[in-house]
């Protein structure tokens, strides 16, 4: 061995001794495989969550569509009894004015009951302050009453859960001209 080549001084132009990279390479390969498995699992979980969200959205849209389509079902069922009563009155052979009137009154009670169960409320604002949100003024009339009061109700109004179905058609008071 030449003098400058001693175990303490290895030759400069010799390739480095191979380090034991095999355990590191195996660790890195294993780590990459673990990360790829985690990535695949995350992608799978993401796809499942996305599909579940889409299914939930689709079901909600279907339920809203059904609610719109069948929202009147209960009310329509209530009105069937009213229709049956009116048909029975018309098909009756022995009608007097009094029996016809009694039948109409009972039918009206059925209708009012159906309205109440469905949340429909009558607006009959006679002698109340005019409210443009609830009333439709058709005409003004001179009166001794305070101005802007409902003097005459031509047609009652109706509310459904505090929403105006039909405003009451009214005559409103105004001050007498001197």
């Amino acid at each position: 061995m030449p003098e400058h080549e001693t175990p303490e001084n290895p030759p400069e132009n010799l390739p480095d001794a191979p380090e034991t990279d095999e355990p590191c390479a195996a660790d890195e390969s294993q780590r990459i495989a673990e990360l790829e498995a985690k990535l695949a699992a995350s992608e799978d979980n993401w796809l499942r969550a996305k599909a579940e969200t889409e299914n939930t959205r689709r079901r909600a849209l279907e339920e809203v569509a059904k609610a719109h389509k069948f929202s009147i079902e209960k009310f329509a069922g209530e009105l069937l009894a009213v229709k049956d009563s009116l048909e029975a009155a018309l098909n009756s052979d022995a009608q007097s004015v009094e029996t016809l009137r009694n039948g109409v009154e009972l039918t009206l009670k059925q209708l009012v009951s159906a309205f109440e169960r469905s949340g429909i409320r009558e607006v009959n604002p006679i002698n109340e302050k005019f409210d443009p949100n609830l009333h439709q003024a058709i005409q003004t009339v001179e009166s001794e009453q305070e101005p802007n009061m409902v003097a005459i109700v031509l047609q009652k109004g109706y509310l459904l859960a505090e929403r105006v179905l039909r405003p009451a058609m009214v005559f409103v008071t105004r001050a007498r001209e001197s």
Side-chain angles (χ1 to χ4, degrees):
M1 200 166 26
E3 291 179 1
H4 64 283
E5 290 183 26
T6 61
E8 294 84 353
N9 296 327
E12 293 177 24
N13 57 357
L14 289 177
D16 289 340
E19 295 179 15
T20 53
D21 287 338
E22 291 176 21
C24 285
D27 287 346
E28 287 179 13
S29 295
Q30 184 178 358
R31 178 75 177 142
I32 289 172
E34 288 173 3
L35 290 174
E36 286 176 345
K38 283 184 179 180
L39 177 62
S42 293
E43 285 177 352
D44 183 58
N45 287 340
W46 178 79
L47 287 173
R48 289 177 188 273
K50 183 179 176 185
E52 183 61 30
T53 302
E54 284 298 315
N55 287 340
T56 301
R57 186 186 64 77
R58 182 185 45 77
R59 281 192 299 268
L61 288 174
E62 287 173 0
E63 287 184 24
V64 167
K66 284 180 184 176
H68 284 294
K69 185 176 181 180
F70 298 110
S71 62
I72 195 165
E73 183 176 20
K74 180 181 173 191
F75 183 63
E78 299 279 344
L79 291 183
L80 292 178
V82 175
K83 182 182 182 291
D84 292 343
S85 294
L86 290 171
E87 286 176 344
L90 290 174
N91 290 333
S92 176
D93 291 335
Q95 292 183 6
S96 69
V97 172
E98 188 168 323
T99 59
L100 192 57
R101 179 173 179 79
N102 289 341
V104 170
E105 286 175 352
L106 289 173
T107 303
L108 180 60
K109 285 181 183 178
Q110 285 179 318
L111 185 60
V112 168
S113 177
F115 279 5
E116 288 173 355
R117 285 192 295 271
S118 297
I120 297 174
R121 197 166 44 98
E122 185 178 278
V123 176
N124 188 7
I126 192 77
N127 296 324
E128 292 180 8
K129 185 105 175 127
F130 174 74
D131 182 349
N133 297 314
L134 299 174
H135 314 135
Q136 181 177 353
I138 301 300
Q139 187 175 344
T140 59
V141 292
E142 289 183 359
S143 175
E144 298 296 323
Q145 270 186 315
E146 177 183 339
N148 292 325
M149 297 295 287
V150 175
I152 300 169
V153 176
L154 296 176
Q155 190 177 58
K156 296 175 186 175
Y158 291 90
L159 300 175
L160 175 60
E162 304 309 315
R163 179 186 263 178
V164 176
L165 278 176
R166 181 179 79 189
M169 292 175 58
V170 298
F171 283 12
V172 180
T173 60
R174 69 173 184 264
R176 289 196 182 265
E177 295 178 13
S178 303

